[in-house]
């Protein structure tokens, strides 16, 4: 059964942790749904782990829609959050248009936007229009250059205070959930305590109301870099290369295809077709 926003509110209330994992296509969505993870995030991290871009910045609305539709087909029973890509919510008008597309065309249940106090009016407009919004503060990859790179945020008094204000602004604007990325656990704990909406941490400690990680990271499928906060649960890259290598070698050595993977004709049809040749 697809969970709902009231279910997530209840989970926070009773202290049941919320699990969220990214997925980007039909097979990965099927796997995540089968594993009964509460929420699928179609993250714009797909730009890096699926499309091979250097960052999430080049990801387009068309790419997000394409992948969100495939994820919905693979996970019809799971609550899906789709990321709004960089510049797709630069103005209120753009935000309404693009968020509406991710819900109506993509089949997402909610959209996620990066930013705090600065995007409060945009989040307010979206939620008033009936679009469920997830916030994302701390390390915000779309604007990582402005933050001085992929660095932990909120380590000094000034930036920790700013993060708490950002969280409150996003809640005030009507978001029903917020992602906290790469911030000290004490700051995440304070935000999680102060906000009524569930917080989902990624590199933000165990006191958050839930956790999110990237599909390719937990399965060992992305090797360019691995942040400290990633826990790898399987090593599928090495296993995949091994299997593919074996396939290539078996083609070369004529071991594949064997009879088991080959279609044949009955002796009667062979006789009729070719006679005694
Ligand atoms: O794009 C993404 O996958 C994300 C998560 C890392 C939170 O935003």
């Amino acid at each position: 059964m697809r969970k709902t926003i009231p279910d997530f509110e209840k989970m926070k209330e009773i202290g049941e942790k919320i699990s969220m994992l990214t997925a980007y296509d039909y097979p990965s969505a099927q796997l995540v749904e089968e594993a009964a993870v509460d929420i699928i995030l179609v993250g714009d991290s797909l730009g890096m782990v699926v499309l091979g871009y250097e960052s999430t910045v080049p990801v387009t609305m068309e790419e997000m829609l394409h992948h969100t539709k495939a994820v919905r087909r693979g996970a019809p029973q799971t609550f899906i959050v789709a990321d709004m890509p960089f510049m797709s919510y630069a103005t209120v008008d753009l935000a309404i248009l693009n968020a509406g597309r991710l819900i109506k065309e993509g089949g997402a249940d909610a959209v996620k936007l990066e930013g705090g106090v600065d995007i409060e009016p945009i989040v307010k407009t979206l939620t008033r229009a009936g679009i469920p919004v997830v916030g994302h503060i701390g390390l915000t990859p779309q604007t990582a250059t402005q933050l001085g790179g992929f660095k932990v945020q909120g380590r000094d008094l000034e930036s920790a205070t700013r993060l708490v204000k950002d969280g409150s602004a996003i809640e005030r604007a009507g978001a029903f959930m917020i992602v906290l990325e790469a911030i000290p656990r004490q700051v995440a704990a304070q935000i999680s305590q102060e906000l009524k909406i569930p917080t989902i941490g990624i590199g933000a400690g165990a006191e958050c109301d839930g956790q999110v990680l990237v599909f390719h990271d937990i399965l060992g499928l992305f090797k360019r870099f691995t942040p400290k906060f990633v826990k790898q649960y399987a090593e599928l890259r090495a296993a995949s290369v091994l299997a593919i290598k074996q396939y290539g070698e078996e083609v070369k050595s004529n071991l594949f295809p064997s009879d088991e993977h080959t279609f044949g004709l009955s002796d009667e049809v062979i006789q009729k077709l070719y006679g005694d040749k």
Side-chain angles (χ1 to χ4, degrees):
M1 264 284 279
R2 199 187 296 188
K3 289 205 166 64
T4 62
I5 294 170
D7 289 331
F8 303 129
E9 286 166 1
K10 185 82 193 161
M11 287 166 87
K12 170 153 182 148
E13 201 183 301
I14 63 173
E16 181 184 339
K17 297 283 182 177
I18 300 166
S19 55
M20 182 191 275
L21 185 66
T22 67
Y24 310 104
D25 56 17
Y26 180 77
S28 60
Q30 280 189 318
L31 295 177
V32 180
E33 178 156 296
E34 206 174 314
V37 166
D38 295 316
I39 302 175
I40 291 181
L41 170 64
V42 188
D44 60 354
S45 50
L46 69 86
M48 297 167 83
V49 300
V50 175
L51 301 177
Y53 297 146
E54 279 296 312
S55 74
T56 57
V57 170
V59 176
T60 65
M61 263 307 294
E62 296 315 314
E63 286 164 342
M64 286 308 304
L65 273 170
H66 175 80
H67 287 274
T68 304
K69 286 180 191 174
V71 169
R72 175 48 82 208
R73 288 191 290 270
Q77 300 302 333
T78 305
F79 192 95
I80 294 176
V81 179
D83 260 344
M84 296 198 63
F86 184 54
M87 282 297 143
S88 68
Y89 52 101
T91 65
V92 166
D93 288 349
L94 271 176
I96 283 276
L97 176 81
N98 289 319
R101 287 191 76 195
L102 286 167
I103 304 281
K104 289 180 70 170
E105 294 174 45
D109 296 295
V111 297
K112 176 163 81 60
L113 284 71
E114 296 182 6
V117 173
D118 48 333
I119 62 158
E120 188 177 343
I122 288 177
V123 175
K124 199 178 269 178
T125 309
L126 292 180
T127 54
R128 284 197 179 154
I131 296 172
V133 172
V134 177
H136 182 161
I137 62 170
L139 172 53
T140 45
Q142 292 174 7
T143 46
T145 323
Q146 279 165 256
L147 303 173
F150 287 81
K151 287 187 182 150
V152 177
Q153 301 296 304
R155 276 194 148 149
D156 55 45
L157 180 63
E158 195 192 330
S159 62
T161 310
R162 200 166 44 238
L163 279 176
V164 175
K165 283 188 182 152
D166 281 340
S168 301
I170 293 301
E171 176 169 89
R172 207 166 42 235
F176 73 93
M177 183 174 275
I178 187 165
V179 168
L180 309 178
E181 179 163 355
I183 67 177
R185 67 183 305 170
Q186 296 84 349
V187 180
Q190 188 192 343
I191 296 173
S192 303
Q193 247 175 29
E194 285 188 9
L195 299 189
K196 288 196 190 70
I197 58 173
T199 59
I200 306 293
I202 173 163
E207 288 84 358
C208 297
D209 302 305
Q211 298 292 325
V212 59
L213 283 175
V214 166
F215 181 91
H216 290 61
D217 286 339
I218 70 164
L219 298 179
L221 287 166
F222 184 67
K223 284 288 140 179
R224 215 159 80 210
F225 61 89
T226 309
K228 171 183 159 75
F229 55 70
V230 167
K231 180 168 178 187
Q232 192 181 313
Y233 289 84
E235 178 53 73
L236 298 192
R237 195 174 188 277
S240 305
V241 173
L242 205 69
I244 296 165
K245 206 168 158 203
Q246 191 178 348
Y247 160 73
E249 283 167 3
E250 288 196 5
V251 169
K252 301 261 178 219
S253 60
N254 229 0
L255 271 170
F256 177 84
S258 61
D259 285 352
E260 191 194 345
H261 302 104
T262 306
F263 304 106
L265 277 177
S266 69
D267 290 346
E268 190 193 340
V269 177
I270 292 173
Q271 175 68 28
K272 283 185 181 150
L273 266 175
Y274 305 114
D276 289 330
K277 271 191 274 173

